């Protein structure tokens, strides 16, 4: 279908339908289907009315439309709480991450800072050697953060990697502007908030987005660092979804959570990503490429 | 008394003296005086504290690998046992099985995932219709930004006994229902496929970026010489992304000992421990459900050391046998 459209487009010197092109476009369409189908499946289950579900033996395609399951999800206090925690974790966590990272990066980019090479090294070393999972857990436990909301946002406050990305940006920042402000008597805080921060929006948006996806998607540490009253939505979804498979595996006649209900919870977790993603894709792609600069 | 009277004017004099050192320090300082630039130190502080606690804390915590550690006694009062924890680990059949599983899963991921991303990038690079390229790229990158839990839930639904894959098999092919995620052999392949599904688009972005850096003159010259697109791909595009390929290969080879535990912890269940239990999941179970922190830390330390060794070996190989050398 796509290949037939190709030759009709203007300015296409080489856009002839060749067998090679047909194969390439077909393979890519297949890849598209494989990539998109799991999302499509989960969303179509989430809106499939129960009577339509029962009358069919294969549920590969959407049938009917209902918001019953979303209503059920949003009236389940435990799940609503979990989403509130997810949102709070993402907002508060990202805010703290971004402020701490950019401030630290600004300080490390200034020549007036003594020992800045040594401080840079301090952030490099943990990129190469890490203590592993168990010591990390024990450290968080010894800080007394366990079972508090702060255990969800404070660990990993500044990611070395993003710090270096932002520092590189500040080093390339037009120094005359900052020098001029210093001569005019502005302090570093003022320079940072009123001059540097507003003019660095793209880089800040990029790291904010990466931190935010990290918080929103975080699953494992929240599941062991805090008790169930502070569990974010990912943990609750994982619990519902696995307990269903366990029950199903036992083959007992117990009432299973409907596929559609679980699908609706997953959908509520994906929809924000799906909605913002097209608009922010270029920032995310930039984030991926920033990652490759340092390796 | 006299001395005290004399002391007063001296004290009065000091403000005058105080001015001098302060101007001196201002002149001497230029860069770095704490007095002038204290806000910088304050701004760096949260980051420094965070890296000391969460970056270096665990490094010091590695000492636990050599202790008979109990959280009640703490590091200082726990008994030093030398390499006992390592010996215990190596003697444990579950450790050997977890080590083996880590290596199998991650080498399958490398041999399938690594070329998949390259193929995807090469295919996308041939597409001249912009909207089509955009749609495919969006769809392939998206999974990377979705939580493992959501990805796990989607796959668990697809592969469930009442999931679409079983339904299609039953209705159209008449094959009995299969509990895919409880079958140790199939489980491993699902993990490998799922990981490729999630990460291929991400890595393809890196390759596509390297491709845009290739000089278009090369392609024009090849065109003039009558080289086919396929020949151009082999002789221009692939050599053009070789540096990126080597870099990623060296980095990923360090992960051969790390099988991607977040994915496995989301997906696995006791019936597939024989093929799916990896070093991280094994050590987390030792620590969190059995309280064997020393043993678990030893497993993690062993893993880090092997990982570092693998990176060094691959880097050495890359330096020796490929033209653009290794990473360092």
């Amino acid at each position: 279908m796509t290949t037939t459209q190709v030759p009709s487009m203007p300015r296409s010197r080489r856009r002839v339908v060749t067998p090679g092109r047909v194969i390439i476009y077909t393979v890519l369409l297949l890849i598209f289907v494989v990539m998109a189908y799991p999302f499509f499946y989960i969303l179509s289950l989430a809106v499939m009315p129960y009577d339509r579900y029962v009358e069919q033996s294969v549920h590969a395609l959407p049938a009917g439309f209902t918001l019953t399951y979303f209503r059920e999800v949003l009236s389940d206090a435990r799940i609503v709480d979990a989403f509130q925690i997810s949102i709070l974790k993402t907002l508060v966590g990202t805010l703290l991450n971004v402020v701490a990272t950019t401030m630290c990066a600004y300080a490390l980019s200034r020549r007036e800072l003594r020992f800045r090479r040594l401080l840079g090294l301090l952030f490099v070393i943990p990129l190469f050697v890490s203590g592993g999972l168990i010591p990390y857990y024990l450290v968080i436990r010894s800080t007394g953060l366990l079972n508090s909301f702060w255990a969800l946002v404070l660990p990993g406050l500044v990611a070395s990697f993003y710090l270096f990305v932002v520092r590189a940006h500040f080093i390339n920042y037009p120094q005359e502007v900052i020098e001029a402000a210093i001569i005019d008597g502005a302090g570093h805080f003022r320079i940072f908030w009123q001059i540097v921060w507003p003019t660095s929006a793209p880089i800040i948006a990029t790291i904010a987005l990466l931190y935010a996806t990290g918080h929103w998607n975080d699953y494992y540490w929240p599941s062991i660092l805090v008790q169930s009253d502070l569990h974010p939505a990912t943990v609750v979804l994982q619990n519902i979804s696995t307990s269903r498979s366990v029950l199903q595996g036992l083959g007992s006649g117990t009432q299973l959570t409907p596929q559609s209900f679980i699908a609706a919870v997953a959908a509520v977790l994906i929809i924000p990503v799906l909605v913002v993603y097209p608009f922010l894709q270029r920032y995310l792609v930039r984030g991926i490429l920033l990652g490759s600069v340092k390796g | 008394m006299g001395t005290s009277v004399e002391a007063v004017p001296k004290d009065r004099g000091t403000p005058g003296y105080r001015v001098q050192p302060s101007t001196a320090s201002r002149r001497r300082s230029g860069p770095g005086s704490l007095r002038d630039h204290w806000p910088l130190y304050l701004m760096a502080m949260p980051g420094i504290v965070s890296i000391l606690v969460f970056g270096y804390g665990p490094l010091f915590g590695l000492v636990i690998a050599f202790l008979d550690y109990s959280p009640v006694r703490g590091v200082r009062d726990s008994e030093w046992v030398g390499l006992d924890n390592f010996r215990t680990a190596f003697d444990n059949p579950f450790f050997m099985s977890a080590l083996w599983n880590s290596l199998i899963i991650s080498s399958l991921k490398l041999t399938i995932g690594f070329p998949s991303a390259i193929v995807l990038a090469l295919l996308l690079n041939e597409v001249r219709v912009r909207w089509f390229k955009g749609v495919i790229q969006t769809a392939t990158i998206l999974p990377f930004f979705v939580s493992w839990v959501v990805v796990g839930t989607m796959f668990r639904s697809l592969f469930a006994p009442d999931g679409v894959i079983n339904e299609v098999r039953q209705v159209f092919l008449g094959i009995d229902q299969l509990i895919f995620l409880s079958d140790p052999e199939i489980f491993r392949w699902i993990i490998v496929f799922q990981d490729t599904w999630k990460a291929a688009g991400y890595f393809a972005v890196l390759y596509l970026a390297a491709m845009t850096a290739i000089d278009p003159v090369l392609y024009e010259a090849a065109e003039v010489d009558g080289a086919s697109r396929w020949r151009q791909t082999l002789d221009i595009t692939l050599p053009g992304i070789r540096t990126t390929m080597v870099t990623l290969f060296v980095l990923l080879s360090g992960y051969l000992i790390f099988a991607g535990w977040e994915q496995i912890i989301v997906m696995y269940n006791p019936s597939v421990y024989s093929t799916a239990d990896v070093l991280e999941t094994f050590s987390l179970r030792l620590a969190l459900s059995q309280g064997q922190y020393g043993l678990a830390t030893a497993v993690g330390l062993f893993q880090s050391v092997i990982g570092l060794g693998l990176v060094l070996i691959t880097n050495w190989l890359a330096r020796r046998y490929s033209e653009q050398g290794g990473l360092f």
Side-chain angles (χ1 to χ4, degrees):
Chain A
M1 178 189 117
T2 348
T3 36
T4 49
Q5 287 178 354
V6 175
S8 67
M9 292 184 74
R11 310 193 302 115
S12 58
R13 203 157 35 92
R14 290 186 284 112
R15 274 176 209 160
V16 217
V17 184
T18 61
R21 266 171 208 284
V22 174
I23 293 172
I24 288 169
Y25 280 87
T26 319
V27 172
L28 282 173
L29 271 179
L30 279 176
I31 292 175
F32 175 79
V33 170
V34 171
M35 299 307 290
Y37 187 72
F39 290 98
F40 180 77
Y41 178 63
I42 211 89
L43 293 176
S44 82
L45 277 183
V47 296
M48 196 180 291
Y50 186 69
D51 49 331
R52 300 296 297 275
Y53 186 90
V54 179
E55 73 190 27
Q56 291 173 308
S57 52
V58 177
H59 306 94
L61 297 170
F65 181 85
T66 175
L67 289 176
T68 321
Y69 294 106
F70 284 96
R71 239 172 266 130
E72 260 177 58
V73 166
L74 295 178
S75 57
D76 183 323
R78 179 186 51 149
I79 295 176
V80 172
D81 278 356
F83 273 105
Q84 278 170 356
I85 287 163
S86 280
I87 292 167
L88 211 59
K89 169 174 158 60
T90 306
L91 291 180
V92 176
T94 306
L95 184 72
L96 293 177
N97 288 143
V98 170
V99 169
T101 305
T102 50
M103 281 200 318
C104 191
Y106 173 79
L108 288 177
S109 76
R110 298 305 307 162
R111 233 175 273 143
E112 297 91 337
L113 187 83
R114 258 186 220 171
F115 313 116
R116 71 179 188 291
R117 295 206 136 194
L118 200 70
L119 287 174
L121 193 67
L122 186 78
F123 285 93
V124 172
I125 293 171
L127 282 174
F128 293 96
V129 284
S130 78
L133 304 177
I134 312 303
Y136 183 73
Y137 167 75
L138 291 173
V139 162
I140 295 176
R141 207 166 73 160
S142 69
T143 56
L145 292 175
L146 231 55
N147 295 326
S148 81
F149 175 72
W150 302 106
L152 301 177
V153 292
L154 285 182
L157 181 67
V158 170
S160 292
F161 188 68
Y162 301 155
L163 176 79
F164 287 115
V165 168
V166 182
R167 187 184 67 160
H169 168 83
F170 287 154
I171 286 175
N172 292 326
Y173 194 88
Q175 296 298 310
E176 313 86 73
V177 178
I178 297 174
E179 305 291 336
I182 291 180
I183 290 169
D184 288 350
H188 282 293
F189 275 109
R190 214 169 132 194
I191 296 174
F192 180 71
W193 288 116
Q194 298 193 348
I195 300 172
V196 175
W197 178 277
T199 50
S200 303
I203 189 90
I204 291 171
T206 303
I207 64 156
L209 216 54
L210 293 172
Y211 274 127
T213 19
H215 279 295
W216 184 251
N217 292 340
D218 198 8
Y219 155 69
Y220 182 69
W221 292 112
S223 77
I224 61 164
L225 293 179
V226 293
Q227 291 189 337
S228 57
D229 56 329
L230 280 173
H231 277 167
T234 44
V235 180
V236 172
L237 172 61
Q238 173 73 8
N239 292 344
I240 304 175
S241 169
T242 45
S243 61
R244 181 183 199 271
S245 340
V246 170
L247 285 179
Q248 207 164 32
L250 294 176
S252 57
T254 38
Q255 186 74 42
L256 294 175
T257 320
Q259 286 262 39
S260 295
F261 181 79
I262 295 174
V265 180
V268 180
L269 266 168
I270 314 173
I271 287 169
V273 182
L274 284 181
V275 169
V276 299
Y277 178 76
F279 302 101
L280 302 175
Q281 192 181 350
R282 64 197 179 97
Y283 290 113
L284 288 170
V285 168
R286 191 203 307 242
I288 297 176
L289 292 176
L290 288 175
S292 68
V293 177
K294 245 232 86 209
Chain B
M1 278 306 262
T3 44
S4 76
V5 172
E6 246 180 32
V8 176
K10 244 184 195 168
D11 265 282
R12 283 214 180 122
T14 36
Y17 279 103
R18 247 180 222 147
V19 175
Q20 261 182 339
S22 111
T23 44
S25 88
R26 209 164 265 200
R27 246 182 281 128
R28 157 159 49 79
S29 67
S33 105
L34 202 78
R35 182 178 297 221
D36 291 351
H37 297 293
W38 61 267
L40 285 181
Y41 297 87
L42 200 64
M43 287 164 103
M45 209 36 85
I48 293 171
V49 172
S50 150
I51 198 77
L52 286 178
V53 175
F54 302 112
Y56 288 88
L59 285 180
F60 291 108
L62 281 174
V63 72
I64 291 166
F66 306 96
L67 300 178
D68 180 19
Y69 178 78
S70 106
V72 184
R73 275 173 296 164
V75 170
R76 199 175 289 172
D77 297 323
S78 291
E79 193 194 343
W80 180 269
V81 293
L83 296 175
D84 273 7
N85 284 325
F86 293 89
R87 268 180 229 119
T88 316
F90 296 143
D91 287 340
N92 186 329
F94 295 107
F95 169 81
M96 291 319 272
S97 144
L99 171 60
W100 197 229
N101 289 336
S102 294
L103 290 173
I104 292 177
I105 290 176
S106 53
S107 37
L108 286 176
K109 281 181 178 176
L110 189 64
T111 46
I112 292 172
F114 185 74
S116 303
I118 297 172
V119 170
L120 176 61
L122 289 175
L123 288 170
L124 281 170
N125 193 45
E126 293 304 310
V127 175
R128 293 286 171 273
V129 187
R130 288 185 72 186
W131 67 264
F132 185 79
K133 190 175 179 173
V135 168
I136 306 280
Q137 254 203 305
T138 304
T140 51
I141 304 170
L142 180 62
F144 185 79
F145 292 102
V146 172
S147 169
W148 271 121
V149 170
V150 171
V151 173
T153 304
M154 293 196 297
F155 275 67
R156 220 175 284 118
S157 302
L158 287 167
F159 287 102
D162 54 353
V164 70
I165 293 178
N166 266 316
E167 289 171 349
V168 168
R169 278 161 50 95
Q170 270 178 303
V171 173
F172 296 110
L173 306 171
I175 311 173
D176 270 351
Q177 148 187 114
L178 184 60
I179 307 178
F180 291 98
L181 292 169
S182 300
D183 183 309
E185 200 48 50
I186 297 173
F187 183 86
R188 191 142 65 190
W189 291 101
I190 291 178
I191 288 290
V192 172
F193 170 73
Q194 192 185 39
D195 185 65
T196 307
W197 180 84
K198 195 169 190 285
Y202 170 88
F203 286 111
V205 169
L206 303 181
Y207 291 118
L208 281 168
M211 286 173 195
T212 54
I214 297 172
D215 189 350
V217 172
L218 292 175
Y219 291 107
E220 282 160 26
E223 199 93 349
V224 171
D225 291 347
S228 64
R229 286 300 301 170
W230 176 240
R231 269 252 75 87
Q232 291 176 28
T233 303
L234 290 183
D235 295 342
I236 302 171
T237 316
L238 277 178
I241 60 169
R242 202 158 52 192
T243 314
T244 311
M245 278 161 55
V246 172
T247 308
L248 288 177
F249 193 79
V250 170
L251 289 173
L252 290 175
S253 67
Y255 285 99
L256 271 180
I257 192 85
F258 304 97
W261 60 278
E262 280 168 302
Q263 174 194 18
I264 289 174
I265 250 175
V266 164
M267 292 298 290
Y268 83 158
N269 59 74
S271 55
V272 292
Y273 276 3
S274 63
T275 58
D277 195 21
V278 293
L279 290 172
E280 288 92 341
T281 51
F282 173 65
S283 73
L284 284 170
R285 273 206 316 278
L286 281 180
L288 301 177
S289 29
Q290 298 173 30
Q292 303 202 45
Y293 293 101
L295 189 55
T297 307
V299 171
L301 180 56
F302 165 80
Q303 206 175 8
S304 307
V305 171
I306 300 287
L308 197 61
L310 284 171
V311 174
L312 293 177
I313 292 170
T314 334
N315 188 58
W316 179 80
L317 287 174
R319 249 181 29 197
R320 179 117 198 226
Y321 294 108
S322 83
E323 285 147 43
Q324 68 282 333
L327 285 186
F328 40 85

